[in-house]
Amino acid sequence: VFAQAKPPMPIKVTVSTFQNLNFGTFCYGSGSGTTVTIDPFGSRSSTGDIILISSSFSAALYDVEAIPGTIINIVNGPDAILTGSNGGTMTLHVGNSNPQSPCVTTGAHTSVNIGGTLQVGSSGANPPGIYGGTFSVTFIQE
């Protein structure tokens, strides 16, 4: 007879932020901007007249601590508004994750990257500066 021990109840899942979502430095010409995207693999791209400047950028990185084999469903919150240091706001749409949701933890610690898309307006609506804010992501143990 073979048996498997039941996991401890309740199953505990702890999520820690290791790296924030960072779109880096960019500028735009005389047009209306458009978007800057960071994918969950850490690549950056833009649309419209956005010019990406060589700088540091990153997807968000989370450490999920759970019993190996735990199923985790990742649910993005609503779009977030980022406020500029010189006025203006930009809208952040939280993107996909790597690994994709739902995922299964592979060890005691599993890394999860999450990207996003930043909606950039005209230079008048979004003056140069540092934009910041918060967004929500929920990790649900199933």
Side-chain angles (χ1 to χ4, degrees), residues 13-142:
V13 176
T14 304
V15 179
S16 302
T17 303
F18 274 17
Q19 179 175 276
N20 291 318
L21 180 59
N22 179 357
F23 290 92
T25 304
F26 56 88
C27 62
Y28 36 91
S30 60
S32 60
T34 311
T35 65
V36 178
T37 299
I38 303 288
D39 72 22
F41 302 98
S43 295
R44 181 172 71 155
S45 61
S46 65
T47 62
D49 66 345
I50 302 288
I51 300 165
L52 301 175
I53 296 174
S54 180
S55 65
S56 154
F57 58 89
S58 61
L61 172 60
Y62 299 95
D63 175 66
V64 178
E65 185 178 356
I67 296 170
T70 301
I71 299 171
I72 303 290
N73 191 7
I74 303 166
V75 179
N76 294 343
D79 288 351
I81 302 299
L82 307 184
T83 304
S85 58
N86 294 317
T89 61
M90 293 185 193
T91 301
L92 166 66
H93 176 77
V94 181
N96 295 325
S97 65
N98 176 34
Q100 291 182 350
S101 178
C103 62
V104 178
T105 58
T106 56
H109 294 268
T110 301
S111 294
V112 175
N113 292 293
I114 296 179
T117 299
L118 188 62
Q119 186 69 43
V120 182
S122 67
S123 59
N126 294 129
I130 297 172
Y131 287 75
T134 59
F135 62 91
S136 65
V137 177
T138 304
F139 293 78
I140 302 169
Q141 178 270 320
E142 293 189 12

